[in-house]
């Protein structure tokens, strides 16, 4: 003998509708999260690059307004420097150089950390979580 389990409560239909609305709003939340994350990195790169400014060429290649690309369920946005447009020196500044087995240019940790540092990753997590929670909150409280 078997029996059925049922889930039935008055707000079930409302909850189903709200969850569909959240799903529809996620595209906007992801886009906002990636754009805001890139803005943070660009701001930190600008500050870190200020001490390396000679001609301004490398600094001018910082990606400030980047497009968010979507492929199925995967979103991405380029960040950092436009290497092909004059940003190549950023790599040498970030990682340093060695000439004849000796360090020639010391790595700039501030520049590296502006993109890859633990504090940057933590801030990006907060930015992205806030974008999602804000979207969910707005939809659920309509």
């Amino acid at each position: 003998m078997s029996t059925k389990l049922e889930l039935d409560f008055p707000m079930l239909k409302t909850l189903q509708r709200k969850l569909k609305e959240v799903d529809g709003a996620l595209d906007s939340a992801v886009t906002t999260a990636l754009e805001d994350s890139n803005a943070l990195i660009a701001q930190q790169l600008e500050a870190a690059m200020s001490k390396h400014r000679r001609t301004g060429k490398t600094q001018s290649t910082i990606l400030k307004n980047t497009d968010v690309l979507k492929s199925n369920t995967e979103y991405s946005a380029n960040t950092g420097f436009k290497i092909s447009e004059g940003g190549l020196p950023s790599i040498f500044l970030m990682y340093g150089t060695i000439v004849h087995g000796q360090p020639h240019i010391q790595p700039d940790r501030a520049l590296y950390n502006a993109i890859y540092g633990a504090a940057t990753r933590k801030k990006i997590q907060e930015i992205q979580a806030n974008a999602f929670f804000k979207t969910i909150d707005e939809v659920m409280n309509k």
Side-chain angles (χ1 to χ4, degrees), residues 40-105:
L40 170 72
I41 290 173
Q43 177 186 10
Q44 292 183 167
L45 286 174
E46 287 281 346
M49 280 298 294
S50 64
K51 68 180 176 184
H52 297 291
R53 186 177 176 87
R54 287 190 186 155
T55 64
K57 177 75 172 159
T58 304
Q59 192 168 0
S60 71
T61 66
I62 295 172
L63 291 162
K64 294 179 185 139
N65 298 317
T66 186
D67 293 329
V68 175
L69 307 170
K70 181 182 177 186
S71 175
N72 297 323
T73 58
E74 185 176 304
Y75 293 77
S76 64
N78 292 326
T79 193
F81 296 86
K82 294 180 242 172
I83 300 300
S84 64
E85 295 180 25
L88 184 62
S90 68
I91 295 171
F92 301 111
L93 293 170
M94 217 178 284
Y95 293 99
T97 60
I98 297 176
V99 176
H100 303 296
Q102 299 296 319
H104 182 66
I105 298 174

Side-chain angles (χ1 to χ4, degrees), residues 129-142:
N130 288 338
F132 282 99
F133 291 135
K134 180 181 176 191
T135 299
I136 292 168
D137 189 49
E138 287 172 355
V139 170
M140 296 304 277
N141 292 318
K142 266 190 195 174

Side-chain angles (χ1 to χ4, degrees), residues 108-125:
D108 184 335
R109 296 305 298 172
L111 191 58
Y112 179 88
N113 288 337
I115 299 175
Y116 303 109
T120 299
R121 287 195 313 264
K122 184 176 180 182
K123 288 178 189 174
I124 287 173
Q125 281 181 326

